Amino acid sequence: MNQPRIVIVDYSIGNTYSVLNALKTLGYNRVKISSLEEDINNADSLILPGVGSFAACIGNLRKKNLDIVLSEAVLEKKKPILGICVGMQMMATVSEENGVHRGLDWVPGSVRKLETTRCHYVPHVGWNTVRNRNKHGPFFSTNNFPSFYFDHSYHFECDEQFVTAECDYGMNITAAIRKDNMHGVQFHPEKSQKNGLILFRDFFNSIY
Amino acid sequence: MLKKRITATLLVQNGIVVQSRRFAQYLPVGKPIITMEFFDDWGVDEIILLDISATRAGRGPDYNAIKHCVSRCHVPLTVGGGITNVEQIIELIHSGADKISLNQVIHNNMSLISEASVLLGSQCVVASIDAVCVDGKYVVYDYIKRKPLPIRVGEFSKRLQDHGAGEILINSVERDGMYVGFDHDLINEVCANVTVPVVCLGGAGKPQHFIDVLENTDISGVSAANFYHFSEHSITTLKASLINNFNIRHDTHAKYIEHPLDCSGRLLKRCELELQELKFKRIETEII
């Protein structure tokens, strides 16, 4: 079987190696960590990983001109993309992390700080169960309430129609979004053991 | 609901995982990559890898060793030891670490916490504190100089949080490797002073210790090192003892629920008849 060509977008501060590691475990061998326009244009599918503050991440994307390259690949060429954590948050219109920052504006929404309450510390770190909200069936084929690893202080607020999964942390938190070919998850599938691997497999199976 | 984390700490000394006793005696265990693979298989929620020899030897982090280890690790990995600047932190994230742990460097350069958290987000920065009890008060311990500092643990944790630390790892020097249970007063002092998640370490000796600390403190994660070694499926059987009373993740194929365990959490041998039957049971490997 021909394997999809996957590019993990490298903007200098993502945890690209962890994502590569997870995809290798699944047997994908046409995976590249790259920031080159040529590689992105030749890819069948893109992954936008994320560890970092919003401003630093989006700043690095713009510095490398990747905002334009990615927007063209995703909005015009309709390449499927999976954003992870800040990778998903960057798809929003705006973020309020340490000031106000413009995002890629692919999925209308804003990124806001989680509120600390007595029993809900911020950052939201650890394993939390995720509820499916997708009317068209689950976006992953794991059991009903799979656990995934979360690690974030800000969350994605957007119109309900884009939310495919959510989790509970004193309030409903957007756990996964989808708009056309754009997918995003707030948690880290590359660090969520078996459930994460199943999610990656489902994502690539759905597009290839 | 967010689950309580059951995490494992790997102490590495000159490339070998060791057991530590009161920060003074060390017993070699084996290669980090094997330990990591086993803990990952046994369903640990997170791994904290601390190179305890780097700072003392004046070395930075060993990126290649981290890269080698993470190939068998599909849970979040926190890496500490020998970090002195933000370039090293970025290189560690590129090598497969998800969070970094700062300890010794904080005493000379607390602004590294702010620098790292502005760049990588505070969720990525763990501040680690070693504590001892002096005259009934918990103070910070300097493991390089091997002496207590005149800094109270509670106010120190608060300062670390104010500088941007997203998590506190609190370790009890006196209980390190002593198997006597966690220091609840120490943990409560830290939890009362911060609003970021706190993970405790030092003292685990049996599953009851985990139950006690989860019941008596607001801890977000419980970690152990020595307790997990030299015992097959130790993390899985520990979770089997906790799953009925606490909200934890217990996802492994073998769950050992209702399987007889002894008080130190080890599996008891099943009766001969049952074992005979197991001989003919084939378990298919799950393909993802």
Side-chain angles (χ1 to χ4, degrees):
Chain A
M1 192 187 90
N2 258 344
Q3 291 207 344
R5 284 164 299 183
I6 304 164
V7 165
I8 303 169
V9 181
D10 178 15
Y11 52 93
S12 301
I13 39 178
N15 61 342
T16 46
Y17 194 76
S18 298
V19 179
L20 176 70
N21 191 24
L23 301 187
K24 273 191 180 163
T25 307
L26 288 170
Y28 294 105
N29 49 30
R30 299 172 80 187
V31 189
K32 261 188 187 171
I33 297 177
S34 173
S35 58
L36 297 177
E37 183 171 0
E38 190 192 329
D39 288 333
I40 290 171
N41 287 336
N42 286 332
D44 298 310
S45 168
L46 303 168
I47 297 203
L48 191 58
V51 167
S53 70
F54 191 95
C57 289
I58 199 87
N60 272 21
L61 272 189
R62 296 210 168 102
K63 223 185 285 169
K64 291 177 177 254
N65 224 15
L66 281 169
D67 53 332
I68 295 164
V69 175
L70 284 176
S71 292
E72 194 187 307
V74 171
L75 301 177
E76 285 166 34
K77 297 184 185 140
K78 300 282 173 199
K79 289 188 194 287
I81 185 165
L82 176 68
I84 300 171
C85 197
V86 190
M88 166 182 101
Q89 296 183 355
M90 285 195 289
M91 297 177 179
T93 318
V94 69
S95 164
E96 293 173 6
E97 180 170 350
N98 302 329
V100 178
H101 306 278
R102 215 158 35 83
L104 293 166
D105 199 17
W106 295 346
V107 181
S110 53
V111 179
R112 297 223 165 88
K113 175 115 184 163
L114 291 168
E115 274 165 49
T116 309
T117 60
R118 216 183 65 80
C119 43
H120 295 98
Y121 300 131
V122 173
H124 172 215
V125 190
W127 296 78
N128 205 333
T129 40
V130 166
R131 270 192 314 273
N132 188 50
R133 285 239 359 206
N134 195 345
K135 282 179 222 126
H136 312 290
F139 82 111
F140 42 56
S141 61
T142 44
N143 50 348
N144 280 340
F145 296 101
S147 302
F148 288 100
Y149 182 78
F150 287 80
D151 193 5
H152 62 122
S153 312
Y154 291 78
H155 69 126
F156 198 115
E157 286 183 358
C158 64
D159 194 289
E160 246 178 61
Q161 59 169 316
F162 304 123
V163 179
T164 51
E166 57 188 13
C167 77
D168 175 29
Y169 192 56
M171 59 195 280
N172 279 335
I173 290 176
T174 306
I177 55 162
R178 173 166 190 191
K179 186 182 173 227
D180 310 323
N181 53 326
M182 293 163 263
H183 302 249
V185 286
Q186 180 60 62
F187 49 83
H188 288 274
E190 76 281 12
K191 288 290 160 180
S192 297
Q193 289 199 323
K194 199 175 79 186
N195 287 339
L197 296 178
I198 293 174
L199 185 138
F200 277 124
R201 182 68 89 203
D202 288 346
F203 174 70
F204 293 119
N205 281 350
S206 74
I207 55 161
Y208 202 72
Chain B
M1 258 265 287
L2 187 66
K3 295 163 193 293
K4 298 283 187 183
R5 281 175 279 159
I6 304 300
T7 80
T9 302
L10 300 189
L11 300 177
V12 178
Q13 195 181 43
N14 304 319
I16 300 285
V17 175
V18 295
Q19 291 197 335
S20 152
R21 199 160 173 240
R22 303 187 84 168
F23 281 49
Q25 290 169 298
Y26 302 100
L27 176 72
V29 175
K31 288 185 182 167
I33 188 167
I34 305 291
T35 319
M36 218 174 232
E37 181 181 358
F38 281 18
F39 287 178
D40 184 77
D41 276 352
W42 298 346
V44 74
D45 291 337
E46 210 173 311
I47 294 176
I48 304 167
L49 183 77
L50 303 176
D51 185 340
I52 55 171
S53 52
T55 301
R56 198 167 280 143
R59 270 190 280 119
D62 185 346
Y63 309 110
N64 284 331
I66 307 286
K67 276 194 174 172
H68 183 57
C69 286
V70 293
S71 60
R72 312 272 180 92
C73 172
H74 298 291
V75 291
L77 175 68
T78 304
V79 177
I83 301 168
T84 51
N85 60 52
V86 85
E87 287 74 31
Q88 290 174 327
I89 294 174
I90 293 172
E91 188 63 33
L92 277 174
I93 302 289
H94 280 301
S95 307
D98 300 279
K99 298 188 260 190
I100 48 99
S101 165
L102 303 176
N103 182 317
Q104 190 61 31
V105 64
I106 303 171
H107 300 308
N108 315 318
N109 180 15
M110 198 177 274
S111 61
L112 183 60
I113 298 181
S114 350
E115 248 182 277
S117 67
V118 166
L119 193 63
L120 296 160
S122 61
Q123 85 291 333
C124 187
V125 184
V126 180
S128 143
I129 310 174
D130 303 318
V132 285
C133 190
V134 175
D135 301 331
K137 289 176 184 133
Y138 291 108
V139 296
V140 180
Y141 179 81
D142 184 328
Y143 79 92
I144 296 292
K145 293 180 187 140
R146 294 183 192 279
K147 63 175 189 193
L149 301 174
I151 310 170
R152 295 286 293 269
V153 165
E155 55 198 55
F156 191 59
S157 339
K158 175 90 178 50
R159 260 169 62 209
L160 296 176
Q161 173 181 303
D162 293 344
H163 273 79
E167 205 171 309
I168 307 281
L169 175 67
I170 180 73
N171 189 6
S172 163
V173 178
E174 286 134 329
R175 295 184 184 228
D176 179 45
M178 299 307 283
Y179 304 103
V180 291
F182 294 96
D183 191 336
H184 300 170
D185 293 337
L186 169 66
I187 295 161
N188 281 329
E189 185 172 327
V190 176
C191 289
N193 278 281
V194 296
T195 56
V196 293
V198 179
V199 176
C200 66
L201 175 65
K206 53 185 180 183
Q208 186 62 41
H209 293 152
F210 290 79
I211 295 174
D212 293 342
V213 76
L214 287 167
E215 274 176 354
N216 294 305
T217 68
D218 283 335
I219 204 83
S220 301
V222 188
S223 198
N226 303 13
F227 171 66
Y228 297 135
H229 299 307
F230 308 126
S231 170
E232 206 67 19
H233 292 195
S234 51
I235 293 163
T236 323
T237 55
L238 167 66
K239 286 188 165 186
S241 320
L242 303 177
I243 186 71
N244 288 333
N245 298 314
F246 302 100
N247 180 23
I248 57 161
R249 185 182 74 110
H250 195 34
D251 272 358
T252 41
H253 183 82
K255 291 194 167 54
Y256 297 116
I257 294 170
E258 287 166 17
H259 190 104
L261 304 170
D262 70 8
C263 66
S264 65
R266 283 175 179 249
L267 289 172
L268 289 170
K269 192 187 168 196
R270 295 198 191 196
C271 77
E272 297 289 342
L273 273 174
E274 237 181 298
L275 290 173
Q276 190 66 26
E277 273 175 36
L278 278 176
K279 256 185 164 176
F280 303 104
K281 201 164 147 190
R282 186 187 158 86
I283 298 170
E284 298 290 340
T285 320
E286 193 180 356
I287 297 162
I288 297 172

